[in-house]
Amino acid sequence: MPVEITWWGHATCTVTDSDVRVLTDPLFARRLAHLRRRRGAPPPPEAARADVVLVSHLHADHLHVPSLARLAPGTRLLVPQGAPRAVPGLRRLAHLRITEVAPGDETSVGDLVVRAVPARHDGRRLPVGPHRSPALGYVVEGEARTYFAGDTGLFDSMSAEVGPVDVALLPVGGWGPYLGAEHLDAGRAARALAALAPRSAVPVHYGTYWPIGMDAVRPHEFHAPGDEFVRLAAECAPQVAVHKLGHGEGVRLEVAR
């Protein structure tokens, strides 16, 4: 059975494996604070349909309470340990089954096992939060092993912590013209790809949101990361098939173990 990946924009993806729908970091808004969605229509209602939803960290473009509120009653939601304490809005989502997880925790959902893995990223609710929660990635294992990196920088133990995977969903940009070390740009993502050595990869977290009033400022930083990742991945990890998707587009990947 193939695994299906649909990219809705930013870090929001649907991964369908073993008839289980997994939704990552849902963000369905046209506007978030100073950010505006500049490419792709907001995801359709079907994007909110999921058996389990993975939240990588507490930044508002990854843990977006109004988007989570659109999930169907009974949906399983995995969040970093301490998230309900740090984000009071989560506690009002009584229709969801919320589970707090830390690196190494495993959660069974149907025929899938979801394992939380470390990320190198500031996991606090910003701009300043007194409560710390770990930033996470996730490995979804069913017919395939799919790594959702969330938001992370490169770190030496990445391949060991993540383990062997078939598909990698890697951030390659951001929502502004500057990225700190706790992010993957196209070059760092290509180096991560070489270390992880999956069969397939999908670039995410770029080309969706951009600060209001910055439309004409460094526009290549908004448009270019996907193509740059494809180019650099071909140099660093030529054995990996990279699928650059448009907003709302999907790909079916046959996985042979």
Side-chain angles (χ1 to χ4, degrees), residues 10-160:
H10 203 54
T12 307
C13 301
T14 294
V15 179
T16 304
D17 187 331
S18 305
D19 293 322
V20 178
R21 285 175 63 94
V22 181
L23 179 64
T24 66
D25 286 352
L27 181 57
F28 302 143
R30 291 184 180 274
R31 180 172 173 174
L32 173 62
H34 64 300
L35 304 180
R36 181 178 63 192
R37 190 174 180 113
R38 286 195 56 214
R39 184 180 287 177
E46 68 184 69
R49 183 168 59 87
D51 299 295
V52 61
V53 176
L54 312 180
V55 169
S56 63
H57 62 288
L58 306 193
H59 294 173
D61 58 324
H62 292 260
L63 193 167
H64 186 244
V65 173
S67 294
L68 295 175
R70 292 173 54 179
L71 301 173
T75 301
R76 190 77 176 269
L77 175 63
L78 304 187
V79 300
Q81 193 171 64
R85 181 168 176 248
V87 185
L90 271 178
R91 301 197 291 269
R92 295 194 289 271
L93 302 179
H95 66 297
L96 304 179
R97 298 163 56 205
I98 300 176
T99 301
E100 299 178 50
V101 295
D105 288 349
E106 294 186 348
T107 305
S108 296
V109 184
D111 291 332
L112 300 184
V113 174
V114 179
R115 175 168 53 93
V117 298
R120 294 296 182 270
H121 195 69
D122 186 341
R124 293 174 300 170
R125 191 69 162 182
L126 295 180
V128 176
H131 308 303
R132 289 189 175 272
S133 291
L136 302 174
Y138 294 91
V139 176
V140 177
E141 184 162 1
E143 294 291 327
R145 290 169 298 222
T146 301
Y147 172 46
F148 168 62
D151 219 351
T152 186
L154 268 177
F155 54 99
D156 291 341
S157 62
M158 177 181 278
S159 60

Side-chain angles (χ1 to χ4, degrees), residues 131-253:
H131 308 303
R132 289 189 175 272
S133 291
L136 302 174
Y138 294 91
V139 176
V140 177
E141 184 162 1
E143 294 291 327
R145 290 169 298 222
T146 301
Y147 172 46
F148 168 62
D151 219 351
T152 186
L154 268 177
F155 54 99
D156 291 341
S157 62
M158 177 181 278
S159 60
E161 300 274 12
V162 172
V165 292
D166 302 296
V167 184
L169 310 179
L170 294 179
V172 302
W175 52 253
Y178 304 105
L179 290 174
E182 291 189 336
H183 298 80
L184 295 181
D185 59 12
R188 290 192 287 265
R191 290 164 55 195
L193 194 66
L196 295 165
R199 290 182 172 87
S200 302
V202 176
V204 301
H205 203 277
Y206 78 100
T208 307
Y209 292 90
W210 204 242
I212 293 170
M214 293 188 67
D215 292 18
V217 178
R218 300 171 66 90
H220 63 284
E221 297 284 358
F222 176 78
H223 295 286
D227 289 333
E228 183 72 357
F229 174 72
V230 171
R231 183 183 70 81
L232 294 173
E235 298 176 1
C236 296
Q239 77 282 7
V240 181
V242 176
H243 303 272
K244 187 174 80 73
L245 303 177
H247 292 78
E249 290 184 348
V251 61
R252 290 168 58 93
L253 302 172

